[in-house]
Amino acid sequence: MRFKDRVVLVTGGGRGIGAATAERFAQEGARVVISDMDVGPAEEVARPLKGLAIACDVTDREQVDSMVVRAVKELGRLDVLVCCAGIIRDNMLFKMTDDDWDSVIDTHLKGTFLCARAAQRPMVEQKYGKMVFLSSTSALGNRGQTNYSTAKAGLQGMARTLAIELGPFNVNVNTVAPGFVETRMTRATAERMGVDFDAFKIGAASQIPLGRIGQPEDIASVIAFLCSDESSFISGQTIYVRGGP
């Protein structure tokens, strides 16, 4: 029960890594707020966890500010922010449209910035907080993902900067960078490439030293560690969770 009486907000919590993360926190005693673009998936996750579901477009400042205010008003505080909201619009550079670029950059970078800016207010006031941003191994570069790779690399820089700014207020900020994880997003990548998803997973596993692909729960475990008091002296770091170096 590492998170007993803690309040945790997870964006993009209606599916995949976000849903697994919300479930992990709830299992360890947290009261969870699950945010998603559509309230339906958020409610599905929140219901068995007795959590609070909120529909929020993270690229909209007013919606983000309102979400954080509501979380604090209804649950009394905000201790943890986990930013999992994200989309992909993969394409080679010469085919990538302005909208492909803008939508991915806005969702990942602007969305995380808006959430972090809103969440730091109650965290700074109570002099306690944890933030984890979801980066990716794509931050190191990945064919067909100029927009996504740029956004995920930017999140690492954002976390390092916020760790410096918020450290004096006892707020830790880190990023987790997953490798291949079985989610709707990796399924969409296989579809874009015209590859059978099962074959895609087998091919990915063959390149991973541990011999298997990741599951959302693998990532949730690391996020939970970084948001626990066990990691109170870790801030501004990026942890690659990819089954190998």
Side-chain angles (χ1 to χ4, degrees):
M1 302 296 284
R2 290 183 293 182
F3 302 104
K4 188 176 185 299
D5 299 326
R6 299 295 189 195
V7 176
V8 177
L9 168 59
V10 182
T11 71
R15 301 178 179 89
I17 293 171
T21 298
E23 289 164 4
R24 178 60 182 263
F25 278 110
Q27 288 166 5
E28 296 200 36
R31 292 176 292 164
V32 293
V33 181
I34 294 97
S35 158
D36 210 280
M37 176 74 82
D38 302 315
V39 76
E43 287 177 336
E44 283 184 34
V45 175
R47 195 173 298 114
L49 307 180
K50 295 182 172 56
L52 173 64
I54 300 178
C56 180
D57 177 355
V58 296
T59 68
D60 185 304
R61 179 184 58 79
E62 291 185 358
Q63 289 189 40
V64 170
D65 288 347
S66 175
M67 171 181 65
V68 171
V69 168
R70 181 181 170 191
V72 173
K73 182 178 180 180
E74 295 195 24
L75 299 180
R77 56 188 293 124
L78 179 61
D79 300 291
V80 174
L81 169 68
V82 182
C83 293
C84 293
I87 61 172
I88 55 171
R89 295 289 185 272
D90 294 351
N91 229 325
M92 298 297 288
L93 179 61
F94 73 98
K95 291 182 179 179
M96 188 169 286
T97 66
D98 290 357
D99 185 62
D100 290 337
W101 172 269
D102 291 342
S103 58
V104 170
I105 295 297
D106 284 355
T107 301
H108 292 271
L109 274 180
K110 181 182 178 182
T112 298
F113 161 72
L114 291 176
C115 289
R117 188 175 64 181
Q120 60 85 29
R121 297 183 189 117
M123 290 180 180
V124 165
E125 185 175 335
Q126 68 199 16
K127 288 189 166 47
Y128 180 90
K130 309 282 188 180
M131 297 186 189
V132 172
F133 307 152
L134 204 68
S135 183
S136 167
T137 55
S138 292
L140 303 173
N142 196 34
R143 181 181 175 87
Q145 291 194 316
T146 301
N147 48 7
Y148 187 75
S149 295
T150 301
K152 291 305 191 182
L155 289 175
Q156 296 184 20
M158 188 187 300
R160 287 193 292 270
T161 301
L162 296 187
I164 295 168
E165 292 187 9
L166 298 177
F169 302 98
N170 195 31
V171 177
N172 301 64
V173 187
N174 293 288
T175 56
V176 170
F180 192 104
V181 178
E182 186 173 2
T183 64
R184 289 195 321 151
M185 194 172 286
T186 47
R187 183 180 291 275
T189 299
E191 291 174 357
R192 174 180 64 84
M193 297 171 63
V195 178
D196 175 77
F197 190 45
D198 287 334
F200 192 48
K201 290 189 291 183
I202 291 170
S206 70
Q207 302 299 312
I208 297 172
L210 286 178
R212 69 174 179 88
I213 62 171
Q215 297 299 320
E217 293 75 16
D218 294 316
I219 312 306
S221 296
V222 179
I223 292 172
F225 167 68
L226 288 173
C227 294
S228 73
D229 290 335
E230 297 165 7
S231 63
S232 62
F233 204 51
I234 301 173
S235 198
Q237 304 301 308
T238 297
I239 309 298
Y240 282 86
V241 189
R242 60 186 304 179

